Amino acid sequence: MTEGGLLGTLDLPGAEESVARGRAWLRGRLGNDHPALDDVLLLASELLTNAVRHSDSRHGGTVTLVAAAMPGVIHIVVIDDGAANVPHIGGEEEDGEGGRGLFLVDLLARSWGIYDDSAGRAVWFEVKY
């Protein structure tokens, strides 16, 4: 079982291959037998994908992945360089792919949120186990 506290921070390039690297890093931090592993990996993948595809980090910037554990909860933060567009939850009726990742986050996470400022954007979620 995961100990409490900060599990670690990983800086990644704002590129597609960072999604797989982030997933592998989280798997190593949580362990293959962690009860929240599947949900954490899925939701972190969605946020990392959004960061490397839609944020200004995709232009040679950095995406930071932060993982922390609290009793019964895993807390994940993905920090990027921000973007002009505002993340939103898309519906099934939309023709495009935009917003479906946050739909999953909203569905599976205990809670989640977005912080924007001049330094960039942080999107976080918590998964209960």
Side-chain angles (χ1 to χ4, degrees):
M1 196 66 56
T2 305
E3 299 278 332
L6 182 66
L7 300 176
T9 301
L10 179 65
D11 289 327
L12 298 160
E16 294 282 336
E17 61 271 9
S18 292
V19 177
R21 287 181 54 200
R23 284 176 58 92
W25 180 81
L26 282 171
R27 182 181 298 277
R29 292 291 185 239
L30 294 176
N32 287 326
D33 296 330
H34 195 282
L37 181 66
D38 290 341
D39 286 347
V40 169
L41 293 181
L42 173 63
L43 300 184
S45 292
E46 295 296 340
L47 296 188
L48 287 166
T49 298
N50 286 349
V52 302
R53 285 187 182 168
H54 304 296
S55 81
D56 293 341
S57 294
R58 72 184 184 271
H59 303 297
T62 300
V63 174
T64 302
L65 177 59
V66 182
M70 298 172 280
V73 176
I74 300 298
H75 183 87
I76 302 294
V77 184
V78 175
I79 303 164
D80 61 42
D81 292 337
N85 61 330
V86 177
H88 69 282
I89 298 173
E92 293 180 18
E93 71 281 351
E94 290 188 10
D95 292 333
E97 294 179 19
R100 291 200 177 134
L102 287 181
F103 174 79
L104 289 173
V105 173
D106 192 56
L107 181 68
L108 298 174
R110 169 179 100 155
S111 58
W112 69 279
I114 300 169
Y115 295 103
D116 273 311
D117 67 21
S118 60
R121 175 175 291 147
V123 182
W124 63 271
F125 68 84
E126 293 181 348
V127 172
K128 192 173 181 179
Y129 65 94

